[in-house]
Amino acid sequence: MAVEQTLSIIKPDATRRNLTGAINKVIEEAGLRIVAQKRLRLSRLQASTFYAVHKERPFFGELVETMVSEPVVIQVLQGENAIAKYRDVMGATNPENAAAGTIRKLFALNIGENSVHGSDSAENAANEVRFFFSGMEIVG
Ligand code: ADP
Ligand code: MG
């Protein structure tokens, strides 16, 4: 296994409910290290560019509106096997299917407002980290 970096977003449904710390506790207790962090309001252009892969899906408009509705906390997580590990820590997209102890099982409201994003492949992780952070903002 290699040390990897992956992109995490704490989504508006979670920042609205003051869950940033609770979610980061789960992340850190899983052995993932937060090596970059910023809190911001996404613009519609940023949200729709970030989720462009989903632009033909019926939920795309709702997804963009949800992502711009409140601040998000965007982080780079680092650790052994971090990309797959964080997907495990997040749980299934639909919280009804998420395993016990996962972030989405603990905190998500529904499939759309599911509290967190995590990169799903090495290629997407590299692109997503680069979308939000410059090298000097990532401090291991
Ligand atoms: P994941 O976030 O688990 O990688 P996807 O990449 O498939 O899931 O979808 C991106 C995001 O789009 C999801 O996290 C969720 O917020 C939203 N989404 C996915 N499927 C649906 C759906 N059927 N209805 C509403 N929103 C959805
Ligand atoms: Mg995805």
Side-chain angles (χ1 to χ4, degrees), residues 51 54 87 117-118 120:
Y51 277 121
H54 295 305
R87 295 291 304 190
H117 166 85
D120 63 3

Side-chain angles (χ1 to χ4, degrees), residues 11 51 53-54 57-59 62-63 66-67 87 90-94 104 110-120:
K11 293 183 177 183
Y51 277 121
V53 64
H54 295 305
R57 309 277 286 275
F59 57 81
E62 177 189 330
L63 175 60
T66 301
M67 291 300 291
R87 295 291 304 190
M90 286 165 51
T93 307
N94 186 343
R104 284 168 165 170
N110 53 59
I111 192 170
E113 295 175 297
N114 57 5
S115 300
V116 281
H117 166 85
S119 309
D120 63 3

Side-chain angles (χ1 to χ4, degrees), residues 76-113:
V76 179
L77 310 181
Q78 181 174 294
E80 287 282 337
N81 205 22
I83 298 163
K85 182 180 225 179
Y86 186 48
R87 295 291 304 190
D88 284 346
V89 170
M90 286 165 51
T93 307
N94 186 343
E96 288 179 15
N97 303 326
T102 61
I103 292 169
R104 284 168 165 170
K105 187 65 169 187
L106 288 166
F107 303 118
L109 298 174
N110 53 59
I111 192 170
E113 295 175 297

